[in-house]
Each structure stands twice: as structure tokens, then as C-alpha cells.
Amino acid sequence: MDRRTPSPDRRLLFDTLSDYIEQIREEGMEGLPSETGARVASAESAESRPVPPPNPDEDTTTEPIAEVSAPQAPLRTVAMFARYPGLEKTSNLEELREFIGDCRRCKLYESRTQVVFGVGNPHAELMFVGEGPGAEEDARGEPFVGRAGQLLTDIIERGMGMKRSEVYIANVVKCRPPQNRNPEPDEVEACEPFLMRQIELVRPRVIVALGTFAAQALLRVKTPISKLRGAWQEIGGIRTMPTFHPAYLLRNPGDKRLVWLDIQEVMKELGRPIPRRGKA
Ligand code: URA
């Protein structure tokens, strides 16, 4: 075949790619991810999508500080946002909430009461990311209001000396998994673009990833939280501290001291004073 004449297959591929690039431009994409970001994202999607272990909160450790470091994670990939045309254009949290609507993009809608979007200061310098709503959160429509939520509030208010309303709190999945089971990979994948957009809109200086799911989803690694906790990571240039989930701490109160170490790192990073009796 004459090499200068594209085959019908190549022509189709070329046209499809052109349409795709055109579409993401129309949605306001300002540029493609950096080569490094794209490489990291594709290597990770092949190897280390956040496939959750069966009992993510059961990881225990006696190590005070993690030694494993995840690669720099981009905040989002092109494909992630291409799934939801228009997401890009949401310019504040209200618009994003409206965009999500009465979401039926994954099977979690079948058993949830409502979408639990997020709460707090839309310009917070500190953002907490948990796993997904439990029963209490599903009923009230606000993240972290059950027992684990009370402990998180204590960490923020008594431990850090901040108000809960000063920070922003969100989850990886916005709908309660039935019987509080772990979110499944397709559910995490369906909801991930919304969390990434929330982060982009709040643009916190620091993120605290609570537990295995949040850490793995944000950093796009499969490393357990026991190995990740205590070591700074970056996601889209935002300093991110993985630590144990408050629900894990309710079952393993001895590990509160490790979370307190992580929280002190966060306070230092934010340039805030560490309260003297800063224990939740
Ligand atoms: N656990 C979470 O991860 N998120 C909540 O909102 C409540 C409990």
C-alpha cells in the first residue's frame, strides 16, 4: 500500500483522536497533563489502580514514620474528566453540587438516601478526605457526623485548635455503600472526578487523606495506609499527609499517638501553633 495514503483504519483513528482533542478543548481543558504526569498516570492505571484490600482499616504499624513514598500524583488525568462533559466548567462548589445532581452514575444510588457532597469552608487551607458516608452521614447528608466523625471533629477542634467549619471535609465516594461495605473500584472510579474537581475548587494548601481508600485513591497507589502514613506526598502540587482513618482509631486507640504525630506535621506545614494538650 502507498505509505502516503492513510488506511481506512488509520484515518478512523486519526479522526477519533481529533474529535476527542476538540471535545476536551471545548470543555475548557487548558493543556494536556505534563509528560511526567501522563506517564505516572498510565503506569499506575495499568498497575496500581486503587484496588482496596478487604479490611483497609485493619493495617497496624509500630513504625512512627512511614518510609514508603508514592510517586507525585497528578490531580486528574484527561480521561477522568472526559467522562463527564461540562465538569470542567463548574466554577464553584455550588455549581459542582448541581452538576452531580441526583447522581446515578454508579450502582451506589440504588441503596443510598442522598448524595453526601462535602462540608466546610469553600476556601479552606486544610481539607480532609475520607472514604465514604456511613449510615449517619447518609441520613443527615453531611460527611463525618457519626462516631468516626465525632473523633475527627475532636482531632480538628481539640487537637488542632481549629474550628470544624474552618476546614473542608469530603469523601472519595459521595454515596453510602450498602451495609458500610468498602467502595468497589468502579464506584471509586465513577466518583473520583468529583473529588478531584472539589479539590481543584477548594485548592487547599494541605490535604489529610484519612485511611487506605482516601490515600490510595488520591495518590493512585496500592500501598497500605500503615506504610503511607506519616510521610508527605504531593497530589497536583498540594501537600498531602496520609494518616489513619478515625474509624480505625476507634478500634485501635493506641494508634492515636501516630495520628497525632501526623497532625503535628500538618500544623507545622500550615505554620499554625500546636496546642499544648493537643490530643483527641
Ligand atoms: N467515614 C468516612 O470515611 N466518611 C464519612 O463521611 C463518615 C465515615
Side-chain angles (χ1 to χ4, degrees), residues 116 129-134 137 142-146 148-149 169-171 210 245 247:
V116 180
V129 177
E131 173 183 323
E137 289 79 15
E142 181 173 332
F144 283 99
V145 288
I169 306 174
N171 280 309
L210 298 166
H245 193 285

Side-chain angles (χ1 to χ4, degrees), residues 164-185:
R164 182 176 153 111
S165 57
E166 265 181 87
V167 306
Y168 193 82
I169 306 174
N171 280 309
V172 172
V173 295
K174 314 277 184 241
C175 293
R176 182 194 180 202
Q179 280 82 50
N180 290 347
R181 69 156 167 73
N182 297 330
E184 291 172 356

Side-chain angles (χ1 to χ4, degrees), residues 182-260:
N182 297 330
E184 291 172 356
D186 59 314
E187 296 157 359
V188 172
E189 202 180 339
C191 224
E192 195 176 36
F194 303 138
L195 174 63
M196 296 308 162
R197 191 64 183 154
Q198 255 172 326
I199 295 172
E200 286 180 345
L201 292 170
V202 175
R203 199 72 209 169
R205 279 177 58 204
V206 171
I207 295 173
V208 176
L210 298 166
T212 293
F213 275 91
Q216 292 186 346
L218 288 169
L219 302 169
R220 300 194 189 97
V221 294
K222 285 207 267 186
T223 318
I225 191 65
S226 55
K227 298 255 170 9
L228 290 170
R229 68 141 288 275
W232 283 110
Q233 310 287 342
E234 280 204 7
I235 160 165
I238 302 173
R239 303 276 278 162
T240 299
M241 175 58 78
T243 196
F244 288 126
H245 193 285
Y248 166 83
L249 292 182
L250 290 173
R251 296 192 297 275
N252 301 273
D255 280 345
K256 280 186 185 176
R257 68 183 180 84
L258 296 175
V259 172
W260 178 233

